[in-house]
Amino acid sequence: RDRARDIARNNPYGKKAKRVFADNFIGTGITPEPRATSDRLKKQIIEAWNEFAMNCDAEENLDFCGIEALVIRTIFESGECFVRFRDRPASEGLAVPFQLQVLEPDYLDSSRNIELANGYIRQGIEFDNSGRRRAYWMWPRHPGDTAYYRTPLQSTRIPADQILHVYEKERAGQIRG
């Protein structure tokens, strides 16, 4: 992962390959097409989408197209990406009280490997006995930033329905990208 990141970030050919890959993968991006029967409802849905798309980034830097591109660039560099769904209180004034937080795979506590009474944890991903994902054990901050903090990091359990784990599954039993 480190070598791939170095090439994609510091080599001009690697940078261009990453940009071309993301541009070709995303194209024009996701465009909603409401299936509502009334034109008024379709318009409301489109307006809500546009409002969400402009304010969807939990870090408040990107719009939805930027989030899409960031996810693809992260996959290009690291083989996988996590998107955390962040509910927001109504007091923040968002039309859609929900945002997305893009996380590098470094945020996953991959050292956590435990057998549980009703499941198991492998590489920071918690599964039930049937092999369904129940949770992800994530660091609250990037683990590379620990030099700036006095307290050691403690990974926390994030329910699987709050995490979108994006990677290409290439073999049976593969759990990470």
Side-chain angles (χ1 to χ4, degrees), residues 71 75 114 121 140-141 153 173:
V71 167
I75 292 169
I114 303 169
I121 301 173
R141 297 182 300 272
L153 288 178

Side-chain angles (χ1 to χ4, degrees), residues 21-155:
F21 178 78
D23 290 347
N24 287 329
F25 193 94
I26 294 169
T28 59
I30 295 174
T31 306
E33 293 185 25
R35 295 184 182 178
T37 54
S38 94
D39 289 338
R40 182 172 169 254
L41 183 55
K42 284 181 185 179
K43 184 179 177 187
Q44 288 176 330
I45 292 169
I46 293 294
E47 287 173 0
W49 170 260
N50 289 337
E51 179 68 25
F52 169 74
M54 293 306 297
N55 299 293
C56 67
D57 184 11
E59 296 176 3
E60 300 181 343
N61 294 319
L62 303 171
D63 62 6
F64 190 78
C65 292
I67 293 277
E68 287 178 301
L70 180 59
V71 167
I72 297 306
R73 288 193 307 266
T74 302
I75 292 169
F76 184 87
E77 286 185 1
S78 303
E80 63 186 332
C81 184
F82 296 96
V83 180
R84 185 170 178 189
F85 306 136
R86 306 301 294 239
D87 291 329
R88 297 297 189 214
S91 63
E92 290 191 13
L94 295 171
V96 179
F98 168 78
Q99 289 182 311
L100 305 170
Q101 180 183 19
V102 180
L103 301 169
E104 288 184 317
D106 307 50
Y107 278 83
L108 186 68
D109 181 0
S110 58
S111 66
R112 192 175 283 266
N113 294 290
I114 303 169
E115 292 297 324
L116 304 170
N118 59 352
Y120 55 95
I121 301 173
R122 291 290 178 270
Q123 298 180 29
I125 304 171
E126 184 177 326
F127 298 89
D128 66 14
N129 284 328
S130 298
R132 291 182 295 247
R133 292 168 192 242
R134 283 197 304 218
Y136 291 84
W137 288 83
M138 309 289 273
W139 302 113
R141 297 182 300 272
H142 193 287
D145 293 342
T146 56
Y148 302 105
Y149 302 99
R150 292 188 180 152
T151 58
L153 288 178
Q154 191 86 356
S155 61

